[in-house]
Amino acid sequence: MADDGGAVVLYDGNIVSTDNSKKNPSQNSFSIKVGLAQMLRGGVIFEVSEPQQAKIAESAGACCISVAVDAGNLRGIGRMVDPSLIKEIKRAVSSIPIIAKARVGHFVEAQILESIGADYVDESELLSVADEENFINKHNFRVPFVCGARDLGEALRRIREGAAMIRTQGDLSGSGNIGQTVGNVRKIMGHIRILNNMDDDEVFTFAKKIGAPYDLVAQTKQMGRLPVVHFASGGIHTPADVALMIQLGCDGVFIGPEVFDGPDPYKRVRAIVEAVRNYNDPVVLAEASSALSDAMAGLNINDNRVVEPPPVTILVIPFLTRS
């Protein structure tokens, strides 16, 4: 196996890595980063935009919080958030790690986020792209990186670059359309099932077809899953949405900041946490989903449509003249 990124295999919960982490003692090895990401497995990551939301997420049982970018800024150039906001949120919470977003390819933003104490860095496609050709070399950082992917080849390429967590991304507009997320998760899981049934000689061709490193493709076949933690994001708003993603094979979910809108955000956040913990129990899911209709009513795909005015009927009455 190549040692530019190493490979991580999980045996009975123990991490075994092929990478050589002694080359630079100032950097955490890839296996350590993957181990830190494993701590989030089976949890919910909430996107927050202010300290009060972070406190709600922490008290409701979130495994991590991600500092969201102001939606208004996304109409122009989406950049990393103000570092002072991240520091303020870190002071507001006591026992929960923080993910901060950097633009794709913008390694200086990642350096800044690492220096101010972000626990994870998300190289996010939700922001404007800083480098059209190159992603960040994530092996140069101590903190674990989260990267988005829409298919198996893309996921394994990000892992080779040093991503310790893969986020299968669906809807990017915040419309509440979970269909894209479901489709991308099913695509990745379907390719893994196909890979599991392949002869070892066929793996070379499959790796070339999806544009992924052969050693990581072979490792995925051996493990029957992605080599790192796999979350889903985009259009996930209800407890049922959360349980759907986990039953499809994801390790956890990202929830957008819309969940904090409304009169009782704690109730909605807590219901989603309960759903990920009891994703296979319809009785618990039914209870978690109860009395949330008002809170979730605005989170649907039709919110962004343009409502056309009703047609106006004009009656034309001929002008009669006396002959």
Side-chain angles (χ1 to χ4, degrees):
M1 294 184 182
D3 33 72
D4 56 339
V8 173
V9 186
L10 302 178
Y11 295 108
D12 298 325
N14 297 318
I15 300 173
V16 180
S17 175
T18 64
D19 65 337
N20 183 1
S21 60
K22 303 302 182 182
K23 295 178 180 179
N24 190 343
S26 66
Q27 299 171 7
N28 288 332
S29 69
F30 184 56
S31 59
I32 291 176
K33 297 174 187 176
V34 172
L36 291 172
Q38 283 280 338
M39 296 171 61
L40 306 181
R41 190 175 180 182
V44 186
I45 300 174
F46 290 92
E47 293 193 11
V48 303
S49 57
E50 58 184 37
Q52 184 59 34
Q53 294 176 352
K55 291 180 181 179
I56 293 173
E58 182 182 33
S59 62
C63 71
C64 186
I65 54 176
S66 175
V67 182
V69 178
D70 185 5
N73 293 335
L74 294 181
R75 298 189 183 96
I77 301 298
R79 303 180 178 88
M80 72 173 185
V81 299
D82 189 330
S84 63
L85 175 60
I86 298 174
K87 293 178 181 179
E88 187 178 355
I89 290 176
K90 281 182 67 69
R91 289 192 296 267
V93 296
S94 57
S95 61
I96 189 169
I98 294 177
I99 298 175
K101 292 182 175 67
R103 282 178 277 179
V104 170
H106 206 311
F107 56 86
V108 175
E109 284 188 348
Q111 291 170 355
I112 294 172
L113 296 174
E114 182 181 58
S115 71
I116 63 174
D119 299 289
Y120 303 83
V121 174
D122 187 342
E123 190 174 10
S124 177
E125 64 274 25
L126 287 172
L127 307 182
S128 301
V129 175
D131 192 329
E132 297 285 352
E133 300 292 334
N134 305 290
F135 282 77
I136 297 172
N137 181 359
K138 292 160 272 290
H139 296 290
N140 290 336
F141 293 83
R142 297 185 306 276
V143 296
F145 270 72
V146 182
C147 283
R150 298 181 182 228
D151 55 58
L152 181 59
E154 185 179 12
L156 296 180
R157 291 193 295 274
R158 299 292 84 80
I159 295 171
R160 166 57 76 236
E161 295 162 0
M165 176 193 288
I166 292 299
R167 170 180 33 76
T168 296
Q169 183 68 55
D171 174 52
L172 297 176
S173 66
S175 66
N177 181 11
I178 198 175
Q180 297 177 36
T181 309
V182 170
N184 291 337
V185 170
R186 283 193 178 275
K187 185 192 304 182
I188 290 177
M189 297 304 179
H191 283 167
I192 292 175
R193 286 192 293 269
I194 292 172
L195 180 61
N196 288 341
N197 294 322
M198 283 184 178
D199 185 87
D200 289 341
D201 295 336
E202 298 174 318
V203 177
F204 291 96
T205 302
F206 183 77
K208 183 178 180 180
K209 180 180 179 181
I210 66 174
Y214 166 76
D215 60 323
L216 290 179
V217 175
Q219 185 182 355
T220 302
K221 172 178 167 59
Q222 177 190 8
M223 298 176 64
R225 53 158 294 140
L226 286 178
V228 301
V229 175
H230 179 201
F231 274 52
S233 174
I236 305 170
H237 288 130
T238 69
D241 294 342
V242 171
L244 174 63
M245 293 294 100
I246 306 301
Q247 290 193 31
L248 286 175
C250 294
D251 297 315
V253 294
F254 281 78
I255 304 295
E258 302 88 0
V259 73
F260 294 99
D261 297 337
D264 191 359
Y266 177 85
K267 181 178 181 179
R268 297 192 297 277
V269 171
R270 183 63 187 173
I272 288 173
V273 171
E274 286 298 318
V276 79
R277 294 176 178 174
N278 302 276
Y279 65 90
N280 226 11
D281 189 335
V283 175
V284 176
L285 293 175
E287 183 177 353
S289 302
S290 300
L292 293 178
S293 57
D294 292 341
M296 298 298 179
L299 303 177
N300 60 70
I301 192 172
N302 295 321
D303 282 350
N304 293 334
R305 70 186 180 191
V306 177
V307 179
E308 298 291 341
V312 178
T313 303
I314 300 176
L315 297 179
V316 179
I317 302 175
F319 181 75
L320 300 179
T321 58
R322 182 177 300 177
S323 56

